[in-house]
């Protein structure tokens, strides 16, 4: 928050009457029409909030979607007491930083691109680490399927409907298994949604991390974290 506030102040944006609008996108708007139908956003578990700032768009996944309209000052003054508040902040950060040219790929990829992105993450991990043990933090079906085909894999998720289920040959574990999984793994692939649900601090500086997707774009830039997003817009 402090780093984002400084960027806003340094660019003389804080006092301007600038309107940030956010709305939950439909599944088709957010991800198109992929053949796979088990993405959380299609199943209704998450929504994609979109902020628009001077023509630049920034998005954030959240389980507490809603509308917001206000100034950057109001965004910066939010108490961040729940996932909706954090989603407004994160989407706004992504839109403003995109507008300022500090980041790119702040809009979710569509149709079969998530499958392509997952395949590219596999190749990136192989180039960087060979065949490591990978912890997937956050159930993302394309990532899970592709990673499980090449690496020893464990996956942790917050959704009780996923926990205990076998997905692509891997049993989904609950949040209480996080410490054990992080101790076990060599490399972490974590959804950028960890920024919104405030679990990101559990994964910083533990092991090498790829924060994948659009949600964490600005946060990764501001915090100096490694982000992977091959095909975002």
């Amino acid at each position: 928050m402090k780093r984002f506030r400084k960027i806003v102040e340094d660019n003389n944006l804080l006092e301007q009457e600038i309107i940030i609008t956010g709305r939950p996108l439909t599944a088709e708007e957010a991800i198109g029409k992929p053949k796979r139908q088990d993405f959380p956003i299609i199943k209704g578990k998450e929504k994609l909030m979109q902020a628009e700032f001077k023509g630049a768009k920034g998005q954030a996944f959240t389980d507490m979607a809603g509308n917001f309209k206000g100034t950057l000052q109001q965004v910066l003054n939010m108490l961040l007491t729940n996932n909706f508040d954090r989603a407004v902040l994160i989407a706004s950060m992504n839109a403003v930083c995109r507008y300022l040219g500090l980041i790119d790929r702040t809009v979710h990829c569509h149709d079969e691109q998530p499958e392509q992105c997952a395949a590219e993450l596999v190749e990136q991990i192989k180039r960087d680490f060979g065949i490591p043990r990978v912890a997937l933090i956050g159930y993302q079906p394309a990532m899970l399927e592709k990673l499980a085909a090449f690496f020893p894999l464990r996956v942790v998720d917050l959704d009780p409907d996923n926990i205990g289920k076998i997905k692509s040959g891997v049993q989904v574990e609950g949040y209480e298994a996080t410490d054990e999984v992080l101790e076990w793994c060599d490399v972490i692939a974590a959804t950028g949604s960890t920024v919104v649900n405030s679990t990101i601090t559990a994964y910083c500086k533990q092991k090498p991390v790829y924060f994948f997707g659009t949600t964490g774009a600005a946060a990764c830039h501001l915090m100096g974290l490694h982000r992977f997003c091959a095909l975002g817009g």
Side-chain angles (χ1 to χ4, degrees):
M1 174 78 84
K2 291 181 180 179
R3 295 176 185 176
F4 180 53
R5 179 181 291 275
K6 187 175 187 305
I7 286 174
V8 172
E9 291 174 346
D10 288 349
N11 286 276
N12 298 314
L13 300 176
L14 191 60
E15 302 302 326
Q16 296 184 27
E17 292 295 323
I18 296 172
I19 303 300
I20 307 294
T21 59
R23 68 182 180 90
L25 301 186
T26 66
E28 186 170 332
E29 286 177 312
I31 200 171
K33 296 181 178 180
K35 293 179 182 177
R36 181 192 296 275
Q37 292 294 299
D38 55 351
F39 287 100
I41 193 168
I42 293 176
K43 295 171 67 178
K45 293 293 183 179
E46 290 187 333
K47 294 293 184 181
L48 196 57
M49 297 277 288
Q50 180 166 288
E52 297 188 18
F53 179 77
K54 292 183 174 291
K57 296 178 180 179
Q59 297 179 339
F61 273 108
T62 181
D63 60 353
M64 292 182 67
N67 298 312
F68 175 85
K69 186 175 183 179
T71 65
L72 280 177
Q73 179 72 74
Q74 289 173 303
V75 171
L76 288 166
N77 287 342
M78 294 179 80
L79 297 178
L80 306 182
T81 56
N82 56 43
N83 286 351
F84 170 75
D85 292 349
R86 285 186 285 270
V88 170
L89 172 64
I90 296 304
S92 300
M93 286 171 54
N94 286 337
V96 172
C97 289
R98 176 69 178 266
Y99 166 73
L100 294 172
L102 300 175
I103 58 174
D104 57 12
R105 291 161 293 155
T106 57
V107 175
H108 201 288
C109 56
H110 280 64
D111 302 325
E112 299 312 307
Q113 289 180 326
E115 304 283 342
Q116 300 169 32
C117 180
E120 291 198 28
L121 178 58
V122 167
E123 294 305 312
Q124 185 65 57
I125 293 175
K126 288 165 66 176
R127 287 193 295 269
D128 291 344
F129 298 101
I131 306 296
R133 290 173 296 186
V134 178
L136 176 62
I137 307 299
Y139 172 66
Q140 204 273 25
M143 290 291 183
L144 175 56
E145 180 181 291
K146 296 295 191 296
L147 291 170
F150 288 92
F151 308 113
L153 183 73
R154 293 177 72 176
V155 57
V156 173
D157 196 47
L158 296 177
D159 185 351
D161 288 346
N162 290 329
I163 296 169
K165 302 290 180 58
I166 303 296
K167 306 282 189 178
S168 298
V170 179
Q171 185 174 26
V172 180
E173 301 178 67
Y175 184 73
E176 68 280 357
T178 300
D179 289 345
E180 179 190 343
V181 171
L182 294 183
E183 180 66 26
W184 168 86
C185 75
D186 302 305
V187 174
I188 301 166
T191 172
S193 298
T194 55
V195 178
V196 176
N197 62 32
S198 289
T199 61
I200 187 172
T201 54
Y203 314 113
C204 294
K205 301 180 181 179
Q206 292 273 343
K207 300 283 178 72
V209 186
Y210 300 86
F211 286 98
F212 60 83
T214 56
T215 300
C220 286
H221 171 77
L222 295 174
M223 298 171 67
L225 302 174
H226 182 66
R227 176 186 173 224
F228 181 87
C229 184
L231 298 167

